[in-house]
C-alpha cells in the first residue's frame, strides 16, 4: 500500500511539473508573438510616418518655392513702379526747374530793360519827394482787350498789372512790394504809392494806360 502511494505521489508531482512547463511555454509563446507583431506593425507605422513627413516636407518646400516665385513678379513690379514714379518725379522736377529758370531769365531781361531806360530829372510833386525822374519805360503788357475802364478793386486785372509795373520801375520784387495807396491820376491815369515790406524804400509811380499794351510808368518819385 505504501509503495502504491509513493508511485502516485511521483506521478502527481510529474504531472504538476509538466503542467507548469506547458503553462510557461504558452506564456512565452504569447510574448514572442506579441513582440513579433509589435515589431512588424511598429516598423510599418514608423515607415508610414517617415513617408508622411517626407511627403509633407516636399509639399511645404513646393509651396514655399511657389510662393517665392509668385512674390518675385510682385516685387519686380513694385520696384518697376517705384522706378517709374521716381523717373516721373525727376522729370517733373527738371521741367519745373527749367520753367523757373526760364521765368527768372525772362524777368531778369525785363528788369534789365527797365534799368537801361534813360531818365531825366523833373519837378517833384511835393516836399516829400527826394528825387523825381521821367523816363520812356515800356508798357507792362496786359491781357485786357476792348474799351478800358480802370478797376481799382483788390485782385482786379488793373490792380495786378499796376503792381507789376510798379515793381518793374522801382526794382522792388512783387512779393516784397506793398501798395500803400492807389489813386486816380486823370483820364486813363493812376498814381501808385508803394514801399518794400521793411519800409526802407518808398516811391510814388505815375502811370498811363496804353490800349492793348497795359500800364506804362511815366514818372517815378523817390519819397522820404
Amino acid at each position: 500500500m505504501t509503495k502504491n502511494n509513493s508511485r502516485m505521489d511521483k506521478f502527481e508531482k510529474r504531472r504538476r511539473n509538466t503542467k507548469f512547463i506547458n503553462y510557461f511555454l504558452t506564456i512565452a509563446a504569447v510574448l514572442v508573438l506579441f513582440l513579433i507583431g509589435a515589431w512588424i506593425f511598429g516598423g510599418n507605422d514608423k515607415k508610414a510616418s517617415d513617408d508622411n513627413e517626407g511627403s509633407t516636407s516636399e509639399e511645404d518646400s513646393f509651396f514655399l518655392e511657389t510662393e517665392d516665385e509668385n512674390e518675385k513678379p510682385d516685387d519686380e513690379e513694385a520696384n518697376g513702379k517705384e522706378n517709374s514714379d521716381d523717373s516721373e518725379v525727376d522729370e517733373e522736377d527738371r521741367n519745373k526747374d527749367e520753367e523757373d529758370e526760364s521765368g527768372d531769365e525772362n524777368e531778369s531781361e525785363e528788369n534789365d530793360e527797365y534799368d537801361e531806360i534813360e531818365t531825366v530829372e523833373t519837378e517833384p510833386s511835393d516836399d516829400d519827394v527826394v528825387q523825381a525822374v521821367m523816363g520812356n519805360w515800356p508798357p507792362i503788357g496786359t491781357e485786357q482787350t476792348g474799351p478800358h475802364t480802370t478797376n481799382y478793386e483788390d485782385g482786379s486785372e488793373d490792380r495786378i498789372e499796376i503792381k507789376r509795373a510798379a515793381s518793374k520801375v522801382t526794382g522792388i520784387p512783387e512779393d516784397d512790394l506793398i501798395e500803400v495807396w492807389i489813386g486816380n491820376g486823370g483820364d486813363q491815369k493812376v498814381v501808385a504809392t508803394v514801399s518794400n515790406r521793411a519800409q526802407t524804400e518808398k516811391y510814388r509811380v505815375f502811370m498811363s494806360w496804353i490800349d492793348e499794351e497795359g500800364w506804362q510808368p511815366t514818372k517815378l518819385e523817390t519819397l522820404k
Side-chain angles (χ1 to χ4, degrees), residues 122-159:
T122 186
E123 290 293 325
S125 302
D126 52 46
D127 294 336
D128 289 334
V129 179
V130 175
Q131 183 185 33
V133 295
M134 297 183 69
N136 189 25
W137 294 284
I140 194 62
T142 184
E143 296 181 358
Q144 301 182 61
T145 59
H148 178 262
T149 301
T150 305
N151 186 347
Y152 292 94
E153 293 183 4
D154 289 339
S156 66
E157 286 294 329
D158 280 307
R159 289 294 298 271

Side-chain angles (χ1 to χ4, degrees), residues 77-135:
E77 182 179 352
N79 292 333
K81 184 177 181 181
E82 289 177 0
N83 293 334
S84 177
D85 292 341
D86 292 340
S87 299
E88 290 178 1
V89 171
D90 293 340
E91 184 67 22
E92 290 176 0
D93 290 340
R94 282 195 295 270
N95 291 337
K96 186 175 183 300
D97 291 340
E98 291 175 359
E99 290 176 0
D100 291 341
E101 290 176 0
S102 177
D104 292 340
E105 290 177 358
N106 292 336
E107 185 175 354
S108 177
E109 291 176 359
E110 291 177 1
N111 289 336
D112 291 342
E113 183 180 5
Y114 274 77
D115 292 339
E116 293 173 358
I117 298 298
E118 293 184 4
T119 58
V120 295
E121 290 194 12
T122 186
E123 290 293 325
S125 302
D126 52 46
D127 294 336
D128 289 334
V129 179
V130 175
Q131 183 185 33
V133 295
M134 297 183 69

